[in-house]
Amino acid sequence: MESKEEIRSARRLQRRNRTPEQIAAAGEALARHGVSWAKDVSGGSPATFTVYLGVAFEPPTLPLIEALHQEGHRILLPVCEPGRTMSWVEWTPETTFVRSSYAPIDEPEGERLTSAVAGADAAGIFMPATAVDGDGNRIGQGGGYYDRFLQGLKDSAQRPRTIAVTYDDDVLPSGAIPAEAFDQPVTEVLTPSGIVRLGR
């Protein structure tokens, strides 16, 4: 079995082969399917969702963020903090971004909420992934931020639904990704082709 780092490197290399047109089309499709998922999660009512800003060759999520906002949902975006923890900032169309001091991502400027508050408020969590296998094992960017965030919500009375965001070919067969004790598996994946529900 390949290591997580080997899989992560291979998926990143594959992503670099996409054209700007393919990336833009993926963003539109992710927004369409993501809004549908959010409607199911929220029962059609306005709700809070945590999302992230996909950059470079990641699946583009800005169209999803904008579409969720247009549907009346509240959007929280992550900010990396020391100790591989996260805080959250509410997104609006006027939100500005700066480069993170701790991770290779752009982060929103604004009042920060703790992960505990964000987790309690959120109906659903859209989370980054470079790959997910059929067992729900997920490879993120390597920092462990989301695994720690989800671990902190594990004992919550009402844990938000989670969905990983990937390209279609980032969904791998069962057993492809080595699982570690601290990993937080997912049961759903948002891809440009639609929602993939895994067998857990």
Side-chain angles (χ1 to χ4, degrees):
M1 177 185 292
E2 290 183 301
S3 70
K4 284 186 175 181
E5 190 52 48
E6 288 172 330
I7 297 170
R8 184 182 291 115
S9 296
R11 299 320 308 162
R12 286 174 173 168
L13 183 61
Q14 179 67 25
R15 287 178 172 186
R16 291 190 183 97
N17 292 326
R18 288 182 168 82
T19 66
E21 293 76 17
Q22 290 172 325
I23 293 171
E28 293 175 5
L30 290 169
R32 184 171 62 254
H33 297 304
V35 165
S36 178
W37 183 82
K39 183 176 181 180
D40 178 60
V41 170
S42 67
S45 300
T48 298
F49 290 90
T50 72
V51 197
Y52 68 98
L53 183 66
V55 296
F57 297 98
E58 291 183 307
T61 57
L62 184 57
L64 170 63
I65 291 167
E66 294 172 337
L68 290 170
H69 179 76
Q70 290 170 4
E71 292 292 317
H73 299 301
R74 178 181 181 228
I75 310 303
L76 301 178
L77 302 185
V79 175
C80 295
E81 302 285 6
R84 298 192 176 188
T85 60
M86 292 189 293
S87 61
W88 301 84
V89 172
E90 184 170 354
W91 180 90
T92 72
E94 291 73 41
T95 297
T96 57
F97 290 84
V98 295
R99 199 65 172 170
S100 171
S101 300
Y102 301 99
I105 61 172
D106 292 329
E107 297 177 331
E109 293 187 294
E111 180 183 356
R112 298 184 183 186
L113 304 174
T114 67
S115 275
V117 171
D121 286 352
I125 298 170
F126 293 88
M127 48 195 301
T130 53
V132 178
D133 73 9
D135 298 317
N137 297 313
R138 166 188 159 272
I139 298 177
Q141 298 293 357
Y145 286 91
Y146 273 86
D147 287 318
R148 287 172 173 79
F149 174 48
L150 295 178
Q151 182 66 39
L153 303 178
K154 197 168 186 178
D155 297 325
S156 299
Q158 190 173 359
R159 180 172 173 171
R161 273 176 62 182
T162 59
I163 189 165
V165 183
T166 72
Y167 289 108
D168 294 290
D169 56 2
D170 295 325
V171 181
L172 306 179
S174 295
I177 296 175
E180 299 178 70
F182 59 83
D183 288 341
Q184 300 295 308
V186 297
T187 58
E188 297 175 284
V189 185
L190 171 61
T191 74
S193 293
I195 307 299
V196 179
R197 291 183 170 85
L198 304 174
R200 278 185 180 266

